[in-house]
Amino acid sequence: MTLKRQLFVASLLMLLIPWAGLQFVLELDQALRQQALQQLQDQAERLAQAAGDLSIGLPVVTALTPAIYVENLSSPLNLDGYSDDWPGYDEGDQFQPWQSAESPDQPAENTGQPSMRWQAATDQRQLYLLIRISNRQPVFFNPGAPEQPHDRLLLRLEPAGGELDPDTRPTSWLIRTPAPGKVYATIYNADYAKSVNALKPDYRVNGYWHSVGSGWQLELELPKPPQGSRLGFTARWQDNSDSAQTATSADGISVLVERKPELERQLITGMSGGQIARLIEPAGWVVAQQSTPSREARPEFEALSPFQIIEHISLNALRALVQFYQPRPAPLATNTKRLDMNTLPGEGLVRHEDGSVWLMTTRPVFGGRALVLEQSLDQLLTLSGSTLGSVIARSTLIIVSLTLVLLGYASWLSWRIARLQRAVSNSIDQDGRIIGTLPASKARDELGQLQNYFAQMSDRLHGYNRYLESFSRRLSHELRTPVAVVRSSLENLSHSETEEERSQYIERAAAATERLRKILNGMSEAARLEQSFDNADKEAFDLAHVISEATKAYQILDPHHQFNYTGPESGINLTGSPELMVQLLDKLVDNARDFTPPNGRIITGLEQTESRVCLSVFNEGSTLPVNPDTSIFSPFVSVREGREEGHLGQGLLIVQLIADFHSGRVEAANEVQSSIDGVCFRVIIPSTHL
């Protein structure tokens, strides 16, 4: 069995521990939910009894009773004819709490027929009405021809247990306007509806009339009537009231339903933390609603320590896991003023729109009403931040973390071994030749060191193989010409008849022999340089001072060329070998002199950036081929023909070796400097050696 499978089997055995812990949590959660439900039922019974005592004498709103629901406001509305400050406006028109008398399955506004929708709200001093007529362009009242058809609103109020004003005792108002804008109601008496003088203004009932979309909208305010009052309004636009009107209900009047502050104050006294209580009429209207915050306030994220963050994450994961095994909660709307009593569950788990899960129970209240009491599951012991919940969460987190760490470590270790095996196999062909290199590893453990040893060995073997493969070919190529010259000279020497011919052949053979000597010296110089790297000590020195002084010496030794230095005289420090850097510069300058015409320019430069130091040597003269077919930094390679005999290409090889020793690289390119064509060699050393 492989190492990965062995560790995997060991990890699977540890999974039995969190499984046993999960079973314990699920059993504990079920027991606590049963206990919490019993306590919630007892609490709901007490709240229902208290709410029933206070609701005696209040009118009961059944499903057959037309009703207008009045929202509670924390501040008065801005009476301007628009709905931007009404509840629900920010959520969009489809989420505003509009009310209508049509069927919700087929509203009249979708059929193209005129329809009416409304909202009602109160600040406990004024009653506000927002009435919108759709699919009906308004026809305004013409005071000069009051008998002509026009759009108007009839408002009727039946106060509960008294009149709105003992002096006038108004029951009906007529609202019409000759133009959009501010409107005032007039007291309306049906017996004298055709008499203009019978209409008396009532400035307590006023508002604004505006055209909105395909219809018109009216925003009104009037003194708040007593609880239990009945209100109705009818929109008309023709004399035939049977075919040209729309009203709040069939009989044109509805009971005003609103939340009762005294009931809400009574509910809050008997509630615990993390609960929601609602008192609902038989028709589903919410007449009292209270909620209490959780006992434990959620801490700010910035104030949590790393361990507390991990603990909260584990608690959330445990909560989600327990909820997965819980019974499926029934959906329950919270942000609504009316509940469907036919679909309201009696008790059990419910889910709100925000995804939170609650424990709910209902109790009957006097008058056919119902009390709905909900308890947040976050308050239960297994799902809260209590001691037992924290212990379970921490234990589960530790066990799961150890299991995952062990599984991850096994997979990671196996992957690293398999990757090293594939890399070694891919670097060697079937004949045993090194065909690739191994990537270096940044890991500091034994596997990382083993991979680095393999990489170093592969690089050395690969380089040695390339050297052996190319050495005989390049050496044969370089030796073929001088050997051929020596042989032909000796053959011709035996056939020469004059002293002048013999002298000419001897000089030719001597020149070829000298070329052979230079080849051997160049080979030995490169070999000695590579051997010296093993014993070379790196030190800190001022590279700018070395380059500037060397350039001055070149000008003294070679008056036939113009040497210039561009760069700082000092201040560029480098860790390396100053002797090797001078040797590198010598080779670049010697190479430049071979291809620079008399009095031509040779410019040495030095510049420093945040990430590198660049040493450059530019020479005036012939340029490099556009697409060279070989590297000019390889041994025995020269892509240009120089002015001197014996230019073997060993100098640039030495430049490459010294640059590698300083972790740098060498580049060569054709350039134009100061309108002069030439070639520029650059040695770029990274900042790690600064």
Side-chain angles (χ1 to χ4, degrees):
M1 185 179 293
T2 62
L3 178 62
K4 181 178 181 179
R5 292 184 178 179
Q6 294 176 10
L7 293 176
F8 179 74
V9 172
S11 302
L12 290 179
L13 295 177
M14 294 187 63
L15 293 177
L16 295 175
I17 301 177
W19 177 82
L22 177 62
Q23 297 302 316
F24 169 73
V25 171
L26 294 178
E27 293 178 2
L28 182 61
D29 172 71
Q30 184 178 3
L32 290 176
R33 278 192 289 109
Q34 293 294 334
Q35 181 182 3
L37 181 60
Q38 182 63 42
Q39 295 176 354
L40 196 66
Q41 292 172 347
D42 297 340
Q43 189 177 9
E45 192 70 37
R46 295 191 297 270
L47 290 176
Q49 181 65 35
D53 295 340
L54 291 177
S55 61
I56 296 177
L58 295 177
V60 178
V61 182
T62 64
L64 300 178
T65 304
I68 296 177
Y69 192 81
V70 182
E71 299 275 354
N72 284 342
L73 300 173
S74 58
S75 60
L77 293 174
N78 180 24
L79 200 67
D80 56 2
Y82 298 102
S83 58
D84 53 350
D85 53 350
W86 280 76
Y89 177 81
D90 296 336
E91 288 77 11
D93 184 73
Q94 66 272 23
F95 295 106
Q96 281 189 258
W98 291 104
Q99 304 173 58
S100 65
E102 292 86 9
S103 171
D105 298 331
Q106 185 64 28
E109 59 179 330
N110 294 339
T111 64
Q113 298 297 323
S115 63
M116 181 172 64
R117 293 186 299 169
W118 64 85
Q119 289 181 251
T122 181
D123 60 355
Q124 305 305 321
R125 296 182 57 190
Q126 300 288 332
L127 176 65
Y128 298 93
L129 296 175
L130 182 65
I131 304 170
R132 178 178 294 182
I133 302 297
S134 302
N135 302 323
R136 166 69 187 172
Q137 292 298 328
V139 177
F140 295 105
F141 171 65
N142 185 0
E147 300 299 329
Q148 292 182 357
H150 57 275
D151 290 17
R152 56 202 180 274
L153 184 75
L154 299 178
L155 187 67
R156 184 157 59 102
L157 174 66
E158 294 181 1
E163 295 82 5
L164 189 63
D165 190 334
D167 297 331
T168 60
R169 296 181 180 180
T171 58
S172 299
W173 293 270
L174 173 64
I175 302 172
R176 57 187 178 181
T177 179
K182 184 76 173 180
V183 296
Y184 293 96
T186 55
I187 301 173
Y188 178 75
N189 190 329
D191 297 335
Y192 303 97
K194 296 183 179 180
S195 175
V196 178
N197 297 328
L199 302 178
K200 179 181 179 182
D202 188 352
Y203 297 105
R204 298 172 304 168
V205 182
N206 62 90
Y208 279 85
W209 186 314
H210 286 297
S211 296
V212 178
S214 62
W216 51 271
Q217 183 169 283
L218 179 63
E219 187 177 25
L220 293 173
E221 73 170 358
L222 63 154
K224 183 178 181 298
Q227 289 189 9
S229 300
R230 291 162 57 86
L231 178 69
F233 38 87
T234 303
R236 292 182 180 176
W237 46 83
Q238 292 181 8
D239 291 336
N240 186 357
S241 59
D242 295 335
S243 60
Q245 71 173 4
T246 177
T248 56
S249 62
D251 58 358
I253 196 164
S254 304
V255 64
L256 292 175
V257 179
E258 61 178 302
R259 288 167 58 176
K260 311 297 189 294
E262 63 276 6
L263 286 176
E264 293 181 341
R265 288 192 294 269
Q266 180 64 30
L267 289 177
I268 196 68
T269 58
M271 296 173 60
S272 304
Q275 290 184 341
I276 297 178
R278 280 177 282 188
L279 185 62
I280 305 174
E281 291 285 345
W285 299 107
V286 179
V287 294
Q289 178 171 327
Q290 281 288 10
S291 61
T292 55
S294 301
R295 295 190 183 95
E296 296 183 3
R298 295 181 179 272
E300 296 293 336
F301 181 80
E302 293 78 4
L304 296 176
S305 63
F307 183 78
Q308 289 175 328
I309 294 176
I310 297 176
E311 181 179 347
H312 277 273
I313 294 175
S314 63
L315 285 173
N316 291 334
L318 181 62
R319 179 183 295 110
L321 190 60
V322 171
Q323 289 180 357
F324 178 78
Y325 287 98
Q326 285 177 347
R328 186 174 182 178
L332 179 65
T334 55
N335 300 322
T336 180
K337 58 184 178 294
R338 188 175 188 180
L339 295 175
D340 189 354
M341 300 302 293
N342 296 325
T343 61
L344 186 67
E347 61 182 20
L349 296 177
V350 294
R351 185 183 300 275
H352 289 180
E353 293 93 336
D354 58 359
S356 59
V357 180
W358 297 69
L359 192 63
M360 188 196 77
T361 186
T362 58
R363 281 294 179 270
V365 183
F366 175 80
R369 301 179 178 92
L371 177 75
V372 178
L373 183 61
E374 299 175 68
Q375 172 70 59
S376 172
L377 285 187
D378 288 339
Q379 297 298 315
L380 293 183
L381 187 60
T382 57
L383 301 178
S384 68
S386 61
T387 304
L388 182 56
S390 299
V391 169
I392 294 174
R394 293 178 185 181
S395 302
T396 305
L397 175 64
I398 293 174
I399 294 172
V400 173
S401 300
L402 289 177
T403 303
L404 294 177
V405 168
L406 187 56
L407 285 172
Y409 176 74
S411 301
W412 176 68
L413 189 63
S414 177
W415 174 78
R416 289 180 60 192
I417 295 175
R419 185 183 63 174
L420 179 58
Q421 179 183 0
R422 289 193 302 269
V424 173
S425 300
N426 294 333
S427 63
I428 304 175
D429 62 6
Q430 296 181 355
D431 297 332
R433 300 177 58 186
I434 304 296
I435 59 175
T437 58
L438 293 177
S441 175
K442 296 182 180 180
R444 306 177 67 178
D445 55 5
E446 288 78 2
L447 275 179
Q449 295 177 1
L450 179 61
Q451 182 171 344
N452 290 332
Y453 290 151
F454 274 118
Q456 294 176 7
M457 181 182 67
S458 176
D459 289 341
R460 292 176 181 177
L461 290 176
H462 188 49
Y464 188 69
N465 286 344
R466 288 184 299 172
Y467 174 76
L468 292 179
E469 291 173 357
S470 62
F471 178 77
S472 59
R473 177 176 52 83
R474 292 182 178 180
L475 183 60
S476 175
H477 174 76
E478 293 297 326
L479 295 179
R480 184 181 299 112
T481 300
V483 170
V485 172
V486 172
R487 183 172 55 189
S488 62
S489 298
L490 292 178
E491 291 177 354
N492 292 331
L493 182 63
S494 61
H495 299 288
S496 60
E497 297 178 355
T498 64
E499 188 64 27
E500 182 180 359
E501 291 179 353
R502 284 192 293 272
S503 177
Q504 181 181 359
Y505 292 136
I506 291 174
E507 289 178 1
R508 186 181 299 175
T513 305
E514 179 64 20
R515 182 173 177 82
L516 287 174
R517 186 187 65 80
K518 289 183 178 181
I519 292 175
L520 296 177
N521 289 339
M523 293 175 57
S524 61
E525 182 180 5
R528 288 193 304 269
L529 181 63
E530 288 183 303
Q531 293 176 358
S532 66
F533 289 159
D534 297 334
N535 300 322
D537 295 330
K538 293 184 178 181
E539 59 181 277
F541 65 96
D542 192 342
L543 180 61
H545 178 72
V546 171
I547 301 302
S548 62
E549 293 298 325
T551 305
K552 296 177 183 178
Y554 296 145
Q555 184 64 70
I556 296 174
L557 296 175
D558 186 0
H560 302 293
H561 296 97
Q562 300 180 31
F563 288 87
N564 294 322
Y565 170 70
T566 59
E569 296 293 332
S570 61
I572 299 181
N573 297 321
L574 181 70
T575 301
S577 173
E579 293 81 7
L580 293 178
M581 291 302 299
V582 172
Q583 186 177 0
L584 178 146
L585 185 62
D586 289 342
K587 296 300 181 182
L588 291 177
V589 172
D590 288 342
N591 182 75
R593 277 200 294 257
D594 288 341
F595 308 109
T596 304
N599 294 323
R601 291 186 181 182
I602 299 176
I603 303 174
T604 59
L606 189 65
E607 61 178 348
Q608 180 181 13
T609 62
E610 295 182 357
S611 60
R612 66 179 187 174
V613 169
C614 180
L615 170 62
S616 62
V617 176
F618 173 81
N619 68 277
E620 177 184 356
S622 59
T623 58
L624 293 171
V626 178
N627 295 313
D629 56 355
T630 184
S631 174
I632 62 176
F633 300 103
S634 299
F636 309 116
V637 174
S638 177
V639 297
R640 298 183 294 176
E641 295 184 358
R643 297 168 49 250
E644 298 182 1
E645 295 289 339
H647 184 75
L648 306 176
Q650 296 288 343
L652 295 182
L653 172 62
I654 294 175
V655 171
Q656 180 70 59
L657 294 176
I658 297 176
D660 292 342
F661 176 72
H662 290 86
S663 300
R665 68 179 189 276
V666 186
E667 298 177 352
N670 299 323
E671 287 189 5
V672 178
Q673 295 188 10
S674 301
S675 301
I676 300 175
D677 293 335
V679 177
C680 184
F681 286 83
R682 287 185 175 85
V683 180
I684 301 173
I685 301 175
S687 59
T688 55
H689 281 258
L690 301 183

